[in-house]
Amino acid sequence: MEEILRALERDGRLTPAEIANETGRHEDEVRALVSEAEARHVVVGYGARINWEAAGRPQVHALVEVKVQPEENVGYGAVAARVSRFDNVISCYLTSGSYDLAVIVRGQSIHEVSDFVGEKLATMHGIQSTVTHVIMRRYKENDVLLRSTEEVDRQLVMP
């Protein structure tokens, strides 16, 4: 099963026939295993990964550190679930360390990100504080390089 999942993770457009050819399994077996994985919520979605900057529609991304007041009987989960419902939120993770949630947000501008954090996220019930770090440039995301190595800016170092 793992080899089938890895193939789908690498390219969700692969057909059962292509996966069968790649893994040495029968196409019907691949189809059944993928259906089972979808039913068990092992496979939770499919989609293209878009480099919006290259498409001419740049977006601003930020990592927001969030301190949470956990709720009785549900801990951090209830707050994390509410945070995750916002369209601006790409990812939400429970973390160890000096803050509780790491939230990746996006917007069309720094103002949109700022408004979202300041007016919606930071003011939510259960949120104690936030610290926002604007992501200056993304190089790799979800195992995909967003820029080729030829495009990476290099600063000349003089001896």
Side-chain angles (χ1 to χ4, degrees), residues 9-22:
E9 184 177 49
R10 189 181 66 258
D11 185 352
R13 299 173 300 168
L14 292 174
T15 65
E18 291 169 323
I19 295 170
N21 185 47
E22 184 177 316

Side-chain angles (χ1 to χ4, degrees), residues 126-146:
I127 303 290
Q128 293 180 325
S129 65
T130 62
V131 176
T132 303
H133 305 273
V134 173
I135 296 172
M136 306 291 284
R137 180 170 286 148
R138 297 174 306 134
Y139 293 98
K140 184 176 183 179
E141 193 166 79
N142 298 320
D143 283 337
V144 176
L145 290 173
L146 300 177

